[in-house]
């Protein structure tokens, strides 16, 4: 009897989990489906779920009208650039806080995280003015710096929790072996933290890739990533749902595939330290 | 050369005074053991010498050179950690070679030195493995290999055998003693195990609550302990302590007598009592005896002693071996 109950429970939770997953995934699924509809079908009420005339014409039109590759290149450069930049700052900071903590280290970590609680629009005007005065508007360097600062608290937090798991004795052993701080970071700490750094990088690339607020506000053409590419389809000329969906699908496809392959690392990264 | 001297060394963490004031001179080539119960500051003292902790005040000199503010890497010492602290991402070869690489030794010379160390430690066939593929004893040997390859001024061992099983521990103990004999390098060895201290040390430093209680050769500490603490810490089973009227007869607050210095006698003129418990170890038997006037005493009897629980016996102390202590626990000589 007990076994029957547990089987029933198992079915229940399996169906529940799939339902929740489906609800979460539905907007993406709907976007993908819509991208294959004609503009007419896209706004039809009641909507057609699967049985419509499938067409790839939207993708052709989108590619013709705007240069996908150029936007995608910008997205890649911004995501990777801001991540690399952030790591250069975050690894030494997290090392310091994990292995040589002071009285205020916890407060410092909390304060860094608190900057993420502020609505970004509060900082928009000052940052916009700084960008304008320093000629950084629509420059890759400028937007990389902003994205780096934006995600730095999360990166430092993640690395900090990883580093905390590394036994301090191993770093001390390297010091006894004659390594200075720099060599200790490069030859011992970083290679040991590779799994942690990898999941931090993945998460940050995804966050930077999807970041819309700042990229929309601070770029127009030269440094514009895929968020601008999508936004250009909700223009004053009117909404073209099917084309907008095609653009969105093209924009999220790379990161979706990356996320799919890296999901193990991501889950590990997000739960590290919490579950041992 | 490897002389190390501590002068008025003090270390505190916040309000906690871990090492109030330590003075110690370690001679070149000496095997010194820091021993004491857990939390007595012995590891902290070792880490101060290593440079892994900063002194609150005082000075440390190595070979007459003041290294108080020098980084660990500049002190020319090698350390073997309790957890071995091997680099998990490096092969055994690279673990051993790491210190030489940091020192900028040419690759050919590194190769030759690593091969030599590996041969000494029976690690040659494991050179390409990662630490996680090794047993505890092998990891321990890699940690030692990493230390010896650099030919340091002195070796620091922080409870290196406490993670090994009993049989391996005895082997490694002998191995480290042999290593000391072969290299002739100064070694400082931290342990809470008084048997390790007694068997390995040229000189033992007994620590209690951060204070150096006594420094001396193993037999010196065994025969002439300065204080109740040292008397109780060195020797196994522990020295018997008797207070009250029996102690006052000897004009002392406490008297101490080791289990091996009590004789089992018949008739009168000793401490009469009943055997409460007998531990038979084969070569020896340890009898726990409830005496009428001196409380419970442990006595060492020959292995073939036939006494049973409940038997009445008389214990006669060897008066020449009786230790007397005053109110402050200091010895009365």
């Amino acid at each position: 009897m007990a076994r029957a109950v547990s089987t029933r429970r198992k079915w229940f939770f399996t169906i529940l989990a799939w339902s929740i997953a489906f609800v979460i995934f539905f907007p993406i699924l709907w976007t993908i489906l819509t991208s294959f509809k004609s503009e007419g079908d896209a706004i039809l009420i009641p909507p057609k779920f699967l049985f419509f005339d499938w067409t790839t014409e939207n993708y052709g039109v989108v590619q013709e009208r705007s240069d996908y590759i150029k936007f995608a290149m910008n997205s890649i450069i911004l995501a990777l650039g801001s991540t690399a930049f952030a790591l250069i700052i975050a690894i030494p900071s997290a090392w310091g806080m994990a292995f040589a903590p002071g009285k205020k280290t916890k407060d410092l970590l909390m304060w860094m995280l608190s900057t993420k609680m502020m609505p970004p629009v509060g900082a928009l005007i000052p940052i916009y003015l700084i960008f304008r005065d320093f000629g950084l508007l629509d420059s890759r360097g400028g937007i990389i710096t902003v994205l780096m600062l934006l995600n730095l608290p999360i990166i430092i937090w993640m690395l900090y929790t990883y580093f905390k798991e590394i036994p301090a004795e191993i770093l001390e052993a390297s010091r006894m072996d004659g390594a200075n701080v720099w060599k200790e970071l490069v030859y011992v700490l970083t290679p040991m933290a590779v799994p942690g750094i990898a999941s931090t990088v993945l998460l940050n690339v995804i966050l930077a890739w999807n970041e819309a607020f700042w990229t929309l506000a601070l770029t127009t053409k030269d440094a514009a990533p895929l968020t601008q590419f999508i936004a250009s389809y909700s223009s004053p000329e009117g909404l073209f749902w099917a084309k907008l969906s095609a653009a969105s699908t093209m924009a999220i496809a790379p990161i979706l595939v990356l996320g799919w392959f890296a999901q193990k690392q991501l889950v590990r990264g997000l739960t590290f330290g919490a579950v041992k | 050369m490897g002389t190390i001297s501590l002068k008025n060394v003090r270390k505190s963490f916040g309000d906690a005074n871990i090492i109030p004031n330590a003075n110690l001179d370690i001679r070149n080539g000496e095997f010194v053991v820091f021993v004491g119960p857990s939390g007595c500051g012995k590891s902290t003292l070792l880490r101060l010498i290593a440079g892994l902790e900063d002194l609150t005040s005082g000075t440390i000199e190595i070979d007459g050179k003041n290294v108080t503010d020098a980084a660990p890497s500049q002190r020319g010492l090698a350390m073997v950690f309790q957890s071995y602290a091997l680099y998990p991402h490096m092969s055994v070869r690279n673990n051993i070679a790491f210190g030489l690489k940091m020192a900028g030794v040419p690759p050919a010379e590194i190769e030759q030195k690593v091969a030599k160390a590996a041969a000494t430690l029976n690690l040659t066939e494991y050179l390409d493995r990662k630490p996680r593929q090794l047993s505890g004893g092998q990891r321990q040997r890699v940690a030692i290999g990493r230390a010896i390859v650099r030919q340091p001024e002195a070796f620091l061992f922080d409870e290196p055998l406490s993670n090994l099983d009993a049989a391996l521990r005895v082997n490694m103990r002998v191995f480290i003693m042999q290593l000391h004999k072969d290299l002739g390098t100064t070694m400082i060895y931290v342990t809470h195990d008084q048997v390790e201290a007694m068997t390995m040390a040229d000189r033992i430093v007994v620590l209690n609550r951060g204070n150096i209680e006594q420094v001396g050769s193993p037999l010196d500490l065994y025969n002439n302990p300065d204080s109740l603490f040292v008397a109780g810490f060195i020797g196994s089973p522990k020295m018997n302590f008797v207070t009250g009227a029996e102690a006052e007869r000897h004009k002392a607050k406490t008297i101490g007598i080791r289990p091996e210095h009590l004789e089992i006698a018949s008739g009168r003129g000793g401490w009469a009592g009943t055997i409460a418990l007998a531990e038979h170890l084969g070569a020896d038997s340890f009898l726990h005896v409830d005496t009428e006037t001196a409380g419970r005493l442990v006595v060492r009897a020959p292995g073939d002693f036939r006494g049973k629980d409940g038997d009445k016996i008389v214990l006669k102390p060897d008066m020449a071996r009786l230790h007397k202590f005053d109110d402050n626990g200091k010895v009365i000589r």
Side-chain angles (χ1 to χ4, degrees):
Chain A
M1 256 344 262
R3 200 172 152 185
V5 171
S6 83
T7 311
R8 204 179 299 157
R9 273 174 68 97
K10 212 170 127 187
W11 272 105
F12 172 75
F13 281 112
T14 307
I15 290 167
L16 184 71
W18 277 97
S19 313
I20 294 172
F22 184 75
V23 169
I24 293 172
F25 183 65
F26 187 77
I28 295 173
L29 178 67
W30 195 247
T31 307
I32 295 172
L33 285 176
T34 307
S35 73
F36 290 106
K37 291 175 180 176
S38 65
E39 289 294 348
D41 279 345
I43 50 169
L44 208 62
I45 303 237
K48 290 177 175 172
F49 192 61
L50 283 174
F51 305 102
F52 53 85
D53 293 327
W54 289 67
T55 171
T56 54
E57 118 182 73
N58 296 316
Y59 286 92
V61 173
V62 165
Q63 179 55 30
E64 218 169 90
R65 222 189 81 176
S66 42
D67 188 357
Y68 172 78
I69 299 297
K70 199 194 91 191
F71 287 103
M73 270 318 287
N74 273 336
S75 270
I76 292 171
I77 290 167
L78 297 188
L80 294 182
S82 69
T83 304
F85 193 3
L87 279 184
I88 292 170
I89 296 174
I91 290 179
S93 326
W95 168 81
M97 287 188 267
F99 296 109
K103 276 183 193 151
K104 301 280 180 200
T105 299
K106 289 271 170 200
D107 299 338
L108 191 64
L109 279 163
M110 215 49 222
W111 171 74
M112 285 194 311
L113 199 63
S114 73
T115 62
K116 293 293 290 178
M117 299 170 195
M118 185 181 76
V121 72
L124 177 61
I125 305 289
I127 289 187
Y128 187 89
L129 293 178
I130 291 169
F131 266 56
R132 189 195 63 190
D133 294 351
F134 284 87
L136 291 169
L137 286 170
D138 205 22
S139 74
R140 286 171 183 164
I143 196 76
I144 281 178
T145 310
V146 166
L147 291 179
M148 181 277 286
L149 290 171
L150 201 64
N151 292 326
L152 198 58
I154 292 177
I155 297 186
I156 291 181
W157 262 89
M158 279 183 75
L159 290 178
Y160 171 78
T161 40
Y162 276 113
F163 289 176
K164 284 292 256 189
E165 305 283 323
I166 292 173
E169 279 200 342
I170 295 180
L171 300 185
E172 288 173 354
S174 76
R175 261 170 256 170
M176 293 303 295
D177 266 346
N180 56 28
V181 171
W182 176 243
K183 285 176 173 170
E184 177 186 326
L185 277 175
V186 172
Y187 292 111
V188 183
L189 181 68
T190 306
M192 276 174 70
V194 159
I197 293 173
S199 41
T200 309
V201 165
L202 269 168
L203 183 77
N204 192 60
V205 165
I206 292 172
L207 287 175
W209 186 280
N210 291 334
E211 210 295 314
F213 180 79
W214 292 102
T215 49
L216 290 181
L218 299 176
T219 67
T220 47
K221 208 167 116 262
D222 292 343
L226 286 166
T227 46
Q228 280 285 13
F229 172 73
I230 300 172
S232 67
Y233 285 88
S234 62
S235 57
E237 303 145 40
L239 280 174
F240 295 96
W241 286 114
K243 298 195 178 53
L244 179 63
S245 298
S248 299
T249 306
M250 288 166 82
I252 60 173
I255 211 75
L256 203 65
V257 172
L258 178 73
W260 183 268
F261 282 111
Q263 51 181 321
K264 259 193 189 150
Q265 273 70 32
L266 279 173
V267 170
R268 198 178 119 78
L270 292 172
T271 56
F272 199 81
V275 186
K276 261 178 91 175
Chain B
M1 285 293 283
T3 62
I4 297 172
S5 73
L6 312 183
K7 287 176 186 153
N8 301 318
V9 166
R10 193 165 77 82
K11 174 68 182 172
S12 45
F13 292 103
D15 295 334
N17 223 350
I18 306 295
I19 310 276
N21 184 17
N23 287 287
L24 184 66
D25 279 304
I26 294 168
R27 292 185 281 269
N28 183 36
E30 203 173 19
F31 198 119
V32 172
V33 174
F34 292 174
V35 72
S38 54
C40 70
K42 55 191 188 295
S43 283
T44 306
L45 199 56
L46 191 76
R47 292 168 59 82
L48 287 169
I49 295 172
L52 295 172
E53 304 280 354
D54 295 328
L55 275 72
T56 306
S57 65
T59 53
I60 294 179
E61 290 176 4
I62 297 175
D63 277 341
K65 219 171 64 212
N66 188 339
V67 295
T68 310
D69 298 315
S73 55
Q74 294 161 346
R75 299 191 182 195
L77 307 172
M79 184 153 169
V80 176
F81 293 83
Q82 182 176 4
S83 64
Y84 317 140
L86 302 179
Y87 311 121
H89 57 292
M90 294 183 197
S91 64
V92 170
R93 184 190 308 279
N94 286 333
N95 261 283
I96 297 176
F98 187 76
L100 298 173
K101 280 186 192 161
M102 290 298 111
V105 176
E109 199 183 329
I110 292 181
E111 185 58 36
Q112 179 208 336
K113 283 187 169 171
V114 170
K116 191 168 159 240
T120 317
L121 294 155
N122 288 324
L123 286 170
T124 308
E125 54 188 305
Y126 305 110
L127 277 177
D128 293 316
R129 293 209 192 164
K130 292 276 169 67
R132 65 171 176 278
Q133 296 166 300
L134 302 177
S135 70
Q138 289 163 344
R139 287 179 201 182
Q140 179 67 81
R141 295 209 299 272
V142 176
I144 293 174
R146 193 168 65 178
I148 59 175
V149 81
R150 291 177 42 220
Q151 294 166 313
E153 304 281 348
F155 290 93
L156 311 178
F157 292 94
D158 189 4
E159 307 210 22
L161 306 184
S162 52
N163 287 345
L164 299 177
D165 65 51
L168 210 51
R169 201 176 312 161
V170 175
N171 287 342
M172 285 309 289
R173 200 167 81 196
V174 174
F175 179 84
I176 292 173
M177 287 161 76
Q178 187 65 50
L179 195 69
H180 178 245
K181 219 169 187 178
D182 295 344
L183 299 176
T185 311
T186 311
M187 291 188 179
I188 306 178
Y189 188 102
V190 165
T191 180
H192 59 264
D193 180 348
Q194 62 97 19
V195 177
E196 275 177 24
M198 290 296 283
T199 51
M200 300 174 93
D202 292 327
R203 274 201 305 164
I204 298 178
V205 176
V206 182
L207 285 139
N208 181 25
R209 297 207 198 109
N211 290 304
I212 296 179
E213 284 269 335
Q214 192 173 355
V215 182
S217 73
L219 287 181
D220 200 25
L221 297 190
Y222 176 83
N223 290 321
N224 305 305
D226 276 345
S227 64
L228 262 179
F229 180 83
V230 176
F233 197 82
I234 301 289
S236 173
K238 243 172 92 126
M239 184 185 282
N240 296 297
F241 293 120
V242 180
T243 50
E246 283 296 323
E248 276 159 29
R249 282 208 305 134
H250 293 94
K251 299 191 183 68
K253 170 81 176 168
T254 310
I255 53 170
I257 184 80
R258 294 195 184 278
E260 50 273 39
H261 300 145
L262 281 167
E263 193 194 344
I264 299 169
S266 48
R268 321 197 113 265
W271 291 317
T274 326
I275 301 176
L277 205 73
E279 297 175 282
H280 297 287
L281 303 181
D284 300 304
S285 295
F286 296 117
L287 311 177
H288 297 247
V289 179
D290 284 326
T291 63
E292 285 156 17
T293 50
R296 177 169 284 201
L297 300 177
V298 178
V299 55
R300 178 183 186 170
D304 54 6
F305 181 76
R306 287 283 161 242
K308 301 186 301 295
D309 297 359
D311 284 0
K312 293 209 178 301
I313 56 172
V314 173
L315 301 178
K316 274 191 184 154
D318 178 350
M319 286 317 228
R321 303 272 205 159
L322 197 72
H323 303 270
K324 290 178 265 187
F325 302 96
D326 65 16
D327 291 352
N328 300 320
K330 294 282 167 235
V331 78
I332 305 168
R333 289 223 164 90

